[in-house]
Amino acid sequence: MSDHESGEQSQHPHGAHGAHGAHGAHGAHGAHGRVPTPGERWAAFKRSPFLPALVLVFILAAAAGLFAGSYTYSMANPTPHHVPTAVVGTPDAAHGKAFLGGMEKALNASLEVRRYDSVAAARRDVEEQKVFAIVEVGGGEDKKVTMDVSGASGASVAQVLAETAPKVGERVGVPVVVKDIKPLQEGDPRGLAIFYISLAAVIIGFVGAIQLSVHARGLNPAERIAFTAMYALLGAFVIAAVVDWWLGAVRLPFVESWLILALTMFASGMVFTMFNTLFGRWAMLPTWGLMVLLGNPSSGGAVSWPLLPSVLGHIGQWLPPGASVNAQHTAVYFGGHQHAFPFLVLGGWALVSSAVFWVWRHRHPGGRGVGAAHAA
């Protein structure tokens, strides 16, 4: 073979390869340079992290407004709607009718009068939290009215009654004496400590479940429930210990208060776990809506139920925050008169949430396979 032919053969493959490479590069450049269709752009946007981030921007903005609005609606201007009040003595006397009529007018007909034969019977119902005040109308020469309020039954209600009664008495010409027969503890003059410790249990309850789903994703269903119960018991103990033993703000019946807080935290954690099973990464939305936007303002902790808008007052008793405040409030101030209802509410939410999670546990975005666990 001549040098000329050898040179041509050595150049030919290179030339062919170069031509092919140039053609391929041109084709690739053409494909890359093509303008994506709107459908392709939307598909790429849905696969990107920008879609959930954008959705969260609008959700958080709406949540901020709803959060402020829910608390403002229920607490900014509390108005009596339904205040059960015991009446003893001679309410049919002229001065008694004048005072009760004046109170009805001043409170927009929200006073629900219940007649009792004796002050002792009325005080028993104060302890049972069936009435919020006692009006004793004097008879004969005694033309005065005594109003016994119960700060422990509801500080906001007691304040409204204590401020209104003397003004009404002065207007109708009846002497009025106001006494607080069940005052709040000195370390909690506004009665808000119980609301705050219950709020802490609710918030940490579902935040703990969120953290388990993020940092302990591999927990199997039974393990997840067990660890939720563990942080609920320990967290509730710390809340009670800080408020009572360390700060001395409220003297708690420690074991009972601890267990109420633990049940609250567990129920709150399992509510998030249930929603996480049903709705995946958007579980925070129904949890926040149920527990914070609706549950806390309607709990009766910051504003007593008789002063809340009537719908909220009824709904709040059936939600975990309201049940927790109810049970804790009775434990602290009305020992020996505890009711089963708030425990049934808390236990019901915990049981239903756990059952939903357990039945649809295969949908929960967590856990580990049997094989992985065996290999480990």
Side-chain angles (χ1 to χ4, degrees), residues 64-354:
L66 289 171
F67 182 73
S70 64
Y71 276 79
T72 303
Y73 173 66
S74 61
M75 299 180 186
N77 186 27
T79 304
H81 294 278
H82 174 73
V83 184
T85 304
V87 177
V88 297
T90 57
D92 293 329
H95 63 289
K97 287 182 177 180
F99 176 76
L100 291 174
M103 289 293 291
E104 284 281 313
K105 185 177 179 180
L107 298 176
N108 296 316
S110 63
L111 206 66
E112 181 186 305
V113 173
R114 301 180 183 179
R115 296 198 178 192
Y116 286 78
D117 295 331
S118 67
V119 174
R123 289 204 175 194
R124 280 196 299 271
D125 273 6
V126 169
E127 293 289 337
E128 289 288 334
Q129 301 179 74
K130 294 179 179 179
V131 294
F132 283 79
I134 303 172
V135 175
E136 185 178 1
V137 181
E141 297 298 323
D142 185 8
K143 301 296 184 182
K144 74 174 181 180
V145 170
T146 301
M147 172 168 276
D148 295 337
V149 298
S150 173
S153 299
S156 48
V157 174
Q159 181 180 356
V160 169
L161 294 176
E163 290 175 353
T164 305
K167 295 177 182 177
V168 170
E170 184 177 352
R171 187 159 54 245
V172 300
V174 176
V176 177
V177 177
V178 178
K179 298 183 297 182
D180 190 344
I181 60 172
K182 195 78 174 180
L184 292 162
Q185 295 184 19
E186 292 183 5
D188 184 29
R190 301 297 300 167
L192 294 176
I194 290 174
F195 172 66
Y196 288 133
I197 64 175
S198 301
L199 177 64
V202 168
I203 298 294
I204 300 302
F206 67 74
V207 168
I210 293 171
Q211 294 305 305
L212 283 183
S213 68
V214 173
H215 300 292
R217 189 180 181 88
L219 289 174
N220 281 333
E223 297 165 344
R224 189 172 298 276
I225 293 173
F227 275 95
T228 303
M230 287 171 62
Y231 77 67
L233 283 167
L234 184 57
F237 181 87
V238 174
I239 291 174
V242 167
V243 171
D244 188 347
W245 298 347
W246 184 15
L247 299 177
V250 181
R251 296 186 304 277
L252 301 174
F254 195 87
V255 173
E256 185 178 2
S257 292
W258 169 29
L259 294 179
I260 291 169
L261 291 169
L263 182 55
T264 302
M265 289 185 73
F266 180 75
S268 182
M270 291 312 302
V271 164
F272 172 82
T273 304
M274 173 183 69
F275 286 138
N276 200 20
T277 303
L278 298 176
F279 303 113
R281 63 182 177 180
W282 301 110
M284 187 59 184
L285 294 179
T287 305
W288 182 263
L290 183 72
M291 294 294 192
V292 178
L293 294 183
L294 183 59
N296 283 325
S298 65
S299 67
V303 175
S304 300
W305 281 321
L307 302 188
L308 290 172
S310 56
V311 175
L312 283 181
H314 290 296
I315 292 175
Q317 301 176 57
W318 291 90
L319 299 178
S324 181
V325 168
N326 191 353
Q328 197 70 251
H329 178 258
T330 303
V332 173
Y333 288 108
F334 300 95
H337 298 272
Q338 187 63 268
H339 302 286
F341 178 72
F343 294 95
L344 293 175
V345 172
L346 287 172
W349 278 100
L351 182 61
V352 170
S353 300
S354 300

